[in-house]
Amino acid sequence: MRNLLLRLCFDGKNYHGWQIQKNATSVQGVFQDSLRSVTGENCEIKACSRTDAGVHAREFCVNVFLNHRISCGGLKMALNRVLPRDIVVFDCAQVPFDFHARYSCVAKEYVYKILNTPVRSPFLEGYVLHYWCEMDLAAIQKSASFFVGTHDFSSFCTLDSRQKGDFRRTIKSFLVTRDEDIVTITVKADGFLYNMIRIMVGTLLKISQKRLKPSEISAILEAKNRALAGPTVRPCGLYLNRVFYE
Amino acid sequence: MRNLLLRLCFDGKNYHGWQIQKNATSVQGVFQDSLRSVTGENCEIKACSRTDAGVHAREFCVNVFLNHRISCGGLKMALNRVLPRDIVVFDCAQVPFDFHARYSCVAKEYVYKILNTPVRSPFLEGYVLHYWCEMDLAAIQKSASFFVGTHDFSSFCTLDSRQKGDFRRTIKSFLVTRDEDIVTITVKADGFLYNMIRIMVGTLLKISQKRLKPSEISAILEAKNRALAGPTVRPCGLYLNRVFYE
């Protein structure tokens, strides 16, 4: 038996997130069926995280314990032949037995993409948030710097049964860049709370609209009150971009 | 009555091309219904060209004679509200009465996009040709130069009832560039024959595979024999990029 780390890339447009759900198509469900059809084994799939409906992944890591003796390259090719065209395996490698896609992960990087033009783009539908108001990049960049470091992010978290315990997370970097019409927000942290990035982005847009001041971010963090932060923006602009292991 | 020039952008993935057809959804059909629902008028729509099923347009021009007194900006906004999200009007302007989207056009530019990686990308599915063999850009660029100028392009044309008369066209520029994994082929000409770009790209790929020499392009042009050129590549990588008027 080997422990295999598979790196996937998927378009989340047509899925109700990663995790298997009743009465909804999930990436995990489709991937599990493909893995079974290739190997004949019913492996338990350990994933680096959950993603919400409509969220994409440029890198999503899972590990599985496999008895089948297929080579890593062979498994990658075989899976890509049976997977639908919106899910791809771009890497497969053997890892130590104690490797766990979620618990071994030391950091993750998400990207949020905003198309900032008066008219939407047919090609980017479902892949960006279309935002037509002028964006104050300087104010957004200034605000973003207040998120960096270790904070209790309760104000930037949708409360549900999944979120328990410690709300402290460490944001290692928070970059806001503009390339022509596309504004890209890149956030790297040791972990993320439920909807954390989507609420941070919603708050930054509120600052861009002058409905909040950059310096208010600190007070919102301290208040630990979800109601003070901005709205949760749509999932379509969100991508899990990189997953870091030691 | 005014003559209006509308510039559209559409994702051709879900359409059987521009032109209205029986039993198939066309961009023209959807656009015509939207125009009627906004203006109440049954305008005849003159288009800059036809596009095939699955072909995209970053700029596609049409003109219509309209009695309705709605402003150009108002018509653009109203259409974008009723059009499906894969068709967008990004400009609307009044033009002289003798302007015709097809006959007034002096040149068009098409772009063909190739994703040159071992593994396909879920995000570019339907928007590029996925080609996994190594590409010989130098040979492709050298070959492309033989297409520039005025030639009879019979060898690079699918013969059908639509294509009559003169097969001579003038290619003004033919550029091949690579940006990371994406190879972009940009061709500007006074006009194009049926499938001309898709056959030229198929021929360039045959040269990249060393199954043809760059210098053979001239002989293929002179032979006026479709059988000597390469295959017709898939429509998904093709975009009408710009339409030029005097």
Side-chain angles (χ1 to χ4, degrees):
Chain A
M1 183 178 276
R2 287 170 299 159
N3 187 11
L4 298 181
L5 163 61
L6 294 131
R7 293 170 192 266
L8 323 183
C9 178
F10 60 79
D11 174 348
K13 220 176 185 179
N14 301 315
Y15 296 96
H16 290 262
W18 164 259
Q19 205 160 41
I20 287 187
Q21 286 171 49
K22 282 178 196 161
N23 311 317
T25 310
S26 66
V27 182
Q28 186 184 1
V30 169
F31 181 73
Q32 199 167 279
D33 291 347
S34 300
L35 193 61
R36 185 168 39 225
S37 85
V38 167
T39 64
E41 295 179 35
N42 238 327
C43 309
E44 196 194 334
I45 300 169
K46 277 123 180 174
C48 61
S49 66
R50 281 178 283 224
T51 57
D52 282 338
V55 171
H56 314 291
R58 283 165 166 175
E59 181 175 5
F60 188 94
C61 296
V62 300
N63 73 296
V64 291
F65 286 91
L66 199 73
N67 287 308
H68 198 295
R69 296 180 67 181
I70 188 169
S71 72
C72 283
L75 181 59
K76 184 178 99 171
M77 284 214 293
L79 283 170
N80 285 335
R81 262 198 288 269
V82 295
L83 282 166
R85 300 187 75 90
D86 46 13
I87 305 176
V88 159
V89 179
F90 66 89
D91 193 48
C92 175
Q94 191 173 347
V95 286
F97 277 103
D98 62 354
F99 177 91
H100 187 292
R102 185 169 166 206
Y103 301 126
S104 304
C105 172
V106 292
K108 269 176 255 166
E109 182 181 275
Y110 277 90
V111 156
Y112 197 89
K113 287 190 170 284
I114 301 170
L115 174 69
N116 186 219
T117 48
V119 177
R120 56 191 163 77
S121 159
F123 303 111
L124 300 175
E125 199 56 41
Y127 300 115
V128 293
L129 175 74
H130 179 225
Y131 186 76
W132 50 88
C133 309
E134 205 179 314
M135 286 177 77
D136 184 347
L137 262 275
I140 291 174
Q141 274 158 337
K142 195 177 167 191
S143 317
S145 65
F146 291 100
F147 286 126
V148 178
T150 304
H151 306 281
D152 182 309
F153 283 94
S154 308
S155 298
F156 296 90
C157 171
T158 300
L159 280 179
D160 81 342
S161 55
R162 307 190 217 180
Q163 204 66 67
K164 285 169 198 149
D166 193 7
F167 291 84
R168 285 163 65 87
R169 295 290 183 276
T170 301
I171 292 188
K172 295 161 196 275
S173 62
F174 200 122
L175 291 170
V176 184
T177 56
R178 181 171 193 125
D179 182 13
E180 294 189 6
D181 296 333
I182 305 277
V183 173
T184 303
I185 296 169
T186 309
V187 189
K188 183 178 172 182
D190 60 351
F192 293 90
L193 303 173
Y194 185 44
N195 282 345
M196 181 167 149
I197 297 183
R198 291 166 57 188
I199 301 170
M200 291 196 293
V201 172
T203 307
L204 293 176
L205 291 179
K206 217 170 152 181
I207 287 166
S208 180
Q209 293 158 9
K210 315 251 182 291
R211 292 163 56 209
L212 266 183
K213 278 184 232 154
S215 57
E216 287 180 79
I217 295 284
S218 296
I220 298 172
L221 281 165
E222 274 166 40
K224 297 175 196 172
N225 178 357
R226 168 69 188 91
L228 298 180
T232 308
V233 290
R234 295 176 60 204
C236 57
L238 189 59
Y239 298 74
L240 176 53
N241 199 45
R242 289 178 73 188
V243 185
F244 298 89
Y245 296 104
E246 255 163 21
Chain B
M1 184 178 276
R2 288 171 300 160
N3 186 11
L4 298 180
L5 164 63
L6 294 130
R7 291 170 193 266
L8 322 183
C9 179
F10 60 80
D11 174 347
K13 220 176 185 178
N14 301 315
Y15 296 97
H16 290 259
W18 163 260
Q19 204 162 41
I20 288 187
Q21 287 171 53
K22 281 178 196 160
N23 311 320
T25 310
S26 65
V27 182
Q28 186 184 1
V30 169
F31 181 74
Q32 197 169 281
D33 291 348
S34 300
L35 193 62
R36 187 168 38 225
S37 86
V38 167
T39 65
E41 295 178 35
N42 237 327
C43 309
E44 195 194 335
I45 300 169
K46 275 121 182 176
C48 62
S49 66
R50 283 178 283 221
T51 56
D52 282 339
V55 171
H56 314 291
R58 284 167 165 173
E59 181 176 5
F60 188 94
C61 297
V62 300
N63 72 297
V64 292
F65 285 92
L66 199 73
N67 287 307
H68 198 294
R69 296 179 66 181
I70 188 170
S71 73
C72 283
L75 180 60
K76 184 179 97 171
M77 285 213 295
L79 283 170
N80 284 335
R81 263 198 290 269
V82 296
L83 282 166
R85 300 186 75 90
D86 48 12
I87 306 176
V88 159
V89 178
F90 66 89
D91 192 49
C92 174
Q94 191 173 346
V95 286
F97 277 103
D98 62 353
F99 177 91
H100 187 291
R102 184 168 166 208
Y103 302 125
S104 304
C105 172
V106 293
K108 270 177 253 166
E109 183 181 276
Y110 277 90
V111 156
Y112 197 90
K113 287 189 170 286
I114 300 169
L115 174 69
N116 187 217
T117 48
V119 177
R120 58 192 162 75
S121 159
F123 302 112
L124 298 176
E125 198 53 43
Y127 300 115
V128 291
L129 175 74
H130 178 226
Y131 186 76
W132 50 89
C133 309
E134 205 179 315
M135 285 177 78
D136 182 347
L137 261 274
I140 291 176
Q141 274 158 336
K142 194 177 166 193
S143 316
S145 65
F146 291 100
F147 286 125
V148 178
T150 305
H151 305 283
D152 182 308
F153 284 93
S154 308
S155 298
F156 297 89
C157 171
T158 300
L159 280 179
D160 81 343
S161 56
R162 307 190 216 178
Q163 204 66 66
K164 286 168 196 148
D166 193 7
F167 291 84
R168 285 164 66 87
R169 295 291 184 274
T170 300
I171 292 189
K172 295 161 196 275
S173 61
F174 201 121
L175 292 169
V176 183
T177 56
R178 180 169 195 128
D179 182 12
E180 295 189 6
D181 296 334
I182 305 277
V183 173
T184 303
I185 296 169
T186 309
V187 188
K188 183 178 172 184
D190 59 351
F192 293 89
L193 303 174
Y194 184 46
N195 282 345
M196 181 167 148
I197 297 182
R198 291 166 57 190
I199 300 170
M200 290 194 295
V201 172
T203 307
L204 294 176
L205 291 179
K206 217 170 151 181
I207 286 166
S208 179
Q209 293 159 10
K210 314 252 182 290
R211 292 164 56 211
L212 267 184
K213 279 184 233 152
S215 57
E216 286 180 79
I217 295 284
S218 296
I220 298 172
L221 282 165
E222 273 166 40
K224 296 174 196 171
N225 179 357
R226 168 69 187 92
L228 299 179
T232 307
V233 290
R234 294 177 61 202
C236 56
L238 188 60
Y239 297 75
L240 175 52
N241 199 45
R242 289 180 72 190
V243 185
F244 297 88
Y245 296 105
E246 255 162 23

